[in-house]
Each structure stands twice: as structure tokens, then as C-alpha cells.
Amino acid sequence: MGIAVLVAVASIACGSPIPTRTSEASNVLLPDDRAWASISEASDPLDCTDHVATAQLDQVIVSKWSPDSSKLAVARAIIIPSRVTITGYEEDPVLSVLDLSTNALREIGQGNRPEWSGTGTFLSFWKNDGDLHIPQGDKNVGTLEVSNPDARWVDDVLYYWYAEEIRTWDRGVTQTVSRVATA
């Protein structure tokens, strides 16, 4: 019995399949590893990703996946000619959403720092106008004056700072949650 275990361990360590035979004591069939021999050397049996052709996204600054991984919000740098800068151009972040089910790229416009709500219904992003914008699909459902761009979603409720207040935005309704005492 000890020799059979030693042969099995050596066989596994050396990469050769364990010979298939029935055991007289238990009539149990040992596994046959020859099925793995039909898999080509180039394929990886542990690779569980699928490579899918998508739209070309150049100059990506930041990207955020929707919670269900069906959409990707990306902020990309576009080059704008400028006579005022020393380089002769400026870079402006533009926000786009790539829908992986249709491979369609929807341009939202100037913006950066995209964040999805917990369900993926809403997307918030910071614009150079100083406001936080919240689109739902193609429609802008909220524009918030914020004092700090670090807003956080809890499900579909957005928490954000405005001066000394912590506020929430919930489907168009804003409320003050807390005020920070001034010294």
C-alpha cells in the first residue's frame, strides 16, 4: 500500500497521469488525467476571463465600473489648441460611458471623478463649473453646489459636503444630515 501511495505522489509531482485501475479492496476507480492532455498547451485552464473587442478609449485619466460591470465611466483628456499656454494646447477632461452590451460610447461632456450609485442608476461627476452633476441615462437629474468633490454614494443616496454641512441628495431631494460646529 505504501508503494502505491509513493508511486501516485511521484506521478503527480512529475506531471504524468496516475494510471487508472481498480483497487481490489474497494473497487474504486482512480481519476484519469488523460482528459487534460486534450487541452492545448497554449490555453490556460484557470483563465476565467473573456476577451471582448470594445471601442478604442485613448488618453484615459480615470475609469469606474458600474456595480453590475455592464458600463464603464471614463474621464479622458482631449487636446484643445491654445495660444495662451506655453505648450500651445490645453488638456480638458471629458466624461464618457461605454456600454459593454452594445459597445456604444456615450459622450456626457466636460467632467472628471465619476462615481456610480450603489445600484448603478445614477452617475455623479465633478465639472469645472464647481458643481457636482448627476445624470441618469441621457438626462441630468441633479446639479449640486458642493464644497468638496469627494462625494459618496450609499445605495442611491449621495452624501456630500456643503460648507460646514453634510448633506444628502436622494432622487432630487436634498437634506442636511449634520452640521459641523465651528470653533
Side-chain angles (χ1 to χ4, degrees):
M1 183 73 169
I3 293 175
V5 171
L6 181 62
V7 168
V9 169
S11 186
I12 291 171
C14 294
S16 62
I18 298 172
T20 305
R21 67 177 181 88
T22 52
S23 170
E24 292 83 26
S26 63
N27 287 333
V28 174
L29 188 62
L30 296 174
D32 183 5
D33 288 343
R34 287 178 286 184
W36 288 100
S38 65
I39 297 175
S40 76
E41 296 279 335
S43 69
D44 181 3
L46 300 177
D47 185 15
C48 55
T49 59
D50 292 327
H51 299 277
V52 179
T54 61
Q56 180 71 29
L57 300 172
D58 296 323
Q59 310 281 357
V60 174
I61 300 168
V62 67
S63 63
K64 291 288 181 166
W65 286 102
S66 64
D68 65 356
S69 299
S70 66
K71 294 179 180 68
L72 180 66
V74 293
R76 300 177 294 139
I78 60 167
I79 307 299
I80 302 169
S82 173
R83 295 178 189 221
V84 205
T85 63
I86 194 167
T87 59
Y89 66 89
E90 292 181 35
E91 292 182 349
D92 197 23
V94 174
L95 195 66
S96 307
V97 175
L98 175 63
D99 186 338
L100 293 178
S101 63
T102 63
N103 206 23
L105 187 65
R106 181 171 46 99
E107 300 293 337
I108 293 180
Q110 193 277 329
N112 202 355
R113 303 177 69 123
E115 292 291 337
W116 291 97
S117 68
T119 63
T121 303
F122 303 104
L123 175 71
S124 64
F125 67 94
W126 185 260
K127 223 172 180 182
N128 284 348
D129 62 4
D131 293 334
L132 192 67
H133 295 264
I134 305 170
Q136 181 181 13
D138 290 332
K139 184 180 177 189
N140 187 17
V141 294
T143 301
L144 305 173
E145 189 177 345
V146 297
S147 55
N148 185 332
D150 288 332
R152 297 286 185 261
W153 288 99
V154 177
D155 292 323
D156 284 341
V157 178
L158 180 70
Y159 287 79
Y160 65 97
W161 281 97
Y162 178 73
E164 71 278 351
E165 297 177 345
I166 299 174
R167 294 183 177 178
T168 60
W169 177 90
D170 187 3
R171 300 184 188 275
V173 178
T174 59
Q175 291 182 342
T176 299
V177 175
S178 179
R179 292 181 195 275
V180 178
T182 56

